Amino acid sequence: MLRRFVAVALVFPLLALLLVVSDSPYPSSPGPSRDAPRALVALGDSTMAGEGAGTYEPGTDGENGNWCHRSLKASVYKTQVAGVDRVFNLACSGANSEQVGITDQVRNTEGSQAAQLAAIAREYRVSVVVVAVGANDDPRFADVLGACLRAWIERSTDCADAMAAEWEARVKRMTPKVERALRDVRRVLQDEGYTPRSYTLVLQSYAAPVAPGLPFDLQNLAGCPLRTGDLEWVRDTAVDQLSDGLRTAADKVDARFLDLSKAGDEREACMRGKKPEDEWFTRLTIDFDGLREESRARHALQESFHPNARGYEQFGRCMTEFLTMPDREASCVAGDDGNLTAVVEKD
């Protein structure tokens, strides 16, 4: 009887120890050691890659067919996280949810971003993963803006008239794809020994790049050749519905969500008239040198209507604030000083 009591007395502390270890915020084997350098990793498409900001990483500006346009001025490099030793930007312009997740798909000469994340997670202790994806899935937001541009050139009816009926359905088809990509991110980290508590996963949405109310002399090829009805639809409907779909995907996988839908308010392309340096988005941008080369010509407009370096700096500022907050969700809005700040909406 005494031996049985002693055995039970020894088992309970061991069970308690195992429970503590399993709930540790640090990766367990086969993850990196606790003293491994910490990393912040960005995944996603153009808005995370830094499209429009210039200063692209060597090898991502059309070399050998790679048009990822990862900028050294991307928002992830403006995001400050205490204790992080290294920042990795795996995002690629044109990427969709499949490429962010686990896939054999190759786009812009690059494969699965989740697989690249797994390799990083073996050497570094990944603390934060920030993701921006979805616009290149069913919504095909860049193509929509292109259709709106053609509507202005052809003086036809607003492209919003054709898109409004199907946009919401496109967003609904997108949402489960983003959800799968986020689950793949969690899966690869779990496979590398991470627990959900050992890192922060954030999905961010998109800011409206254009808006109604811009100077009339810029509502043309000199700046923003889009019809007023289309400008209104992009800002007031399309971007909001896109954010709602992304919020749903984040909820499904218990990821945090940062809403950027209002982040560019009054700073959209062309809104500052003769002071483009006060705007956070690129106007119609044409790479005239690229037009001379057949391999680059179809990318000549690629930077148009994306955040610029000032915009990405503001996005990074807002993300920095959000990561210090305990709230699961927040929105980026301009504060009294004009800079973006993370705000939690009260019920």
Side-chain angles (χ1 to χ4, degrees):
M1 180 65 72
L2 179 60
R3 290 180 179 177
R4 183 179 298 174
F5 176 79
V6 171
V8 171
L10 289 173
V11 166
F12 276 112
L14 288 173
L15 287 174
L17 179 60
L18 286 173
L19 288 173
V20 170
V21 170
S22 67
D23 198 36
S24 169
Y26 299 101
S28 57
S29 180
S33 63
R34 295 190 180 190
D35 59 353
R38 296 175 63 188
L40 162 64
V41 184
L43 311 175
D45 56 26
S46 58
T47 197
M48 187 62 77
E51 180 72 69
T55 317
Y56 301 118
E57 294 180 10
T60 70
D61 190 21
E63 299 91 334
N64 299 314
N66 186 315
W67 289 93
C68 285
H69 270 184
R70 281 192 289 270
S71 174
L72 298 178
K73 298 179 180 179
S75 61
V76 68
Y77 294 117
K78 305 300 180 180
T79 301
Q80 304 297 317
V81 179
V84 162
D85 303 291
R86 180 82 182 270
V87 174
F88 293 90
N89 189 0
L90 305 180
C92 180
S93 290
N96 57 17
S97 294
E98 183 179 0
Q99 189 179 9
V100 168
I102 300 170
T103 182
D104 293 329
Q105 179 192 82
V106 174
R107 185 181 293 261
N108 268 335
T109 75
E110 297 195 2
S112 165
Q113 294 177 23
Q116 297 176 62
L117 169 65
I120 293 170
R122 296 181 197 121
E123 181 178 356
Y124 293 83
R125 182 149 58 86
V126 175
S127 299
V128 180
V129 180
V130 292
V131 184
V133 73
N136 294 321
D137 288 286
D138 298 85
R140 301 193 66 81
F141 195 43
D143 290 350
V144 170
L145 288 177
C148 292
L149 173 59
R150 288 193 298 274
W152 179 89
I153 293 173
E154 297 169 0
R155 294 294 187 264
S156 59
T157 59
D158 295 348
C159 74
D161 292 342
M163 285 301 310
E166 63 175 288
W167 180 255
E168 188 172 2
R170 287 191 183 195
V171 171
K172 287 182 178 179
R173 292 195 300 270
M174 169 207 75
T175 300
K177 296 176 182 179
V178 175
E179 179 187 341
R180 282 196 295 272
L182 295 175
R183 290 194 187 282
D184 284 352
V185 169
R186 288 213 184 276
R187 175 182 166 187
V188 298
L189 289 176
Q190 179 181 344
D191 289 348
E192 295 304 326
Y194 288 72
T195 68
R197 290 183 59 245
S198 67
Y199 65 95
T200 298
L201 175 61
V202 179
L203 177 66
Q204 72 176 48
S205 66
Y206 299 86
V210 293
L214 54 88
F216 180 75
D217 62 351
L218 287 177
Q219 201 168 348
N220 52 42
L221 292 174
C224 298
L226 300 168
R227 297 169 65 87
T228 299
D230 294 334
L231 293 168
E232 292 174 346
W233 178 76
V234 167
R235 185 193 65 179
D236 299 334
T237 301
V239 170
D240 283 349
Q241 290 182 354
L242 187 56
S243 289
D244 288 343
L246 294 170
R247 181 184 290 104
T248 298
D251 286 343
K252 294 286 187 180
V253 299
D254 197 26
R256 299 181 70 189
F257 179 68
L258 186 61
D259 185 1
L260 270 65
S261 60
K262 307 301 182 187
D265 191 29
E266 300 297 328
R267 300 278 188 168
E268 299 94 344
C270 300
M271 287 298 288
R272 293 302 174 110
K274 295 181 180 180
K275 293 185 176 181
E277 66 275 8
D278 290 340
E279 297 166 0
W280 294 346
F281 297 83
T282 61
R283 301 178 178 187
L284 180 65
T285 304
I286 304 174
D287 177 9
F288 288 102
D289 290 335
L291 289 174
R292 300 189 182 98
E293 302 177 32
E294 183 177 350
S295 62
R296 301 180 67 89
R298 67 189 185 92
H299 298 276
L301 301 179
Q302 185 169 318
E303 294 182 311
S304 299
F305 306 121
H306 282 87
N308 56 30
R310 294 178 295 277
Y312 287 122
E313 183 174 5
Q314 290 291 329
F315 293 173
R317 171 193 175 94
C318 185
M319 181 66 78
T320 296
E321 283 193 11
F322 180 52
L323 290 173
T324 66
M325 299 163 58
D327 306 272
R328 200 199 68 81
E329 179 181 334
S331 300
C332 292
V333 297
D336 293 338
D337 61 357
N339 293 310
L340 285 185
T341 186
V343 174
V344 177
E345 295 185 6
K346 303 299 182 181
D347 294 332

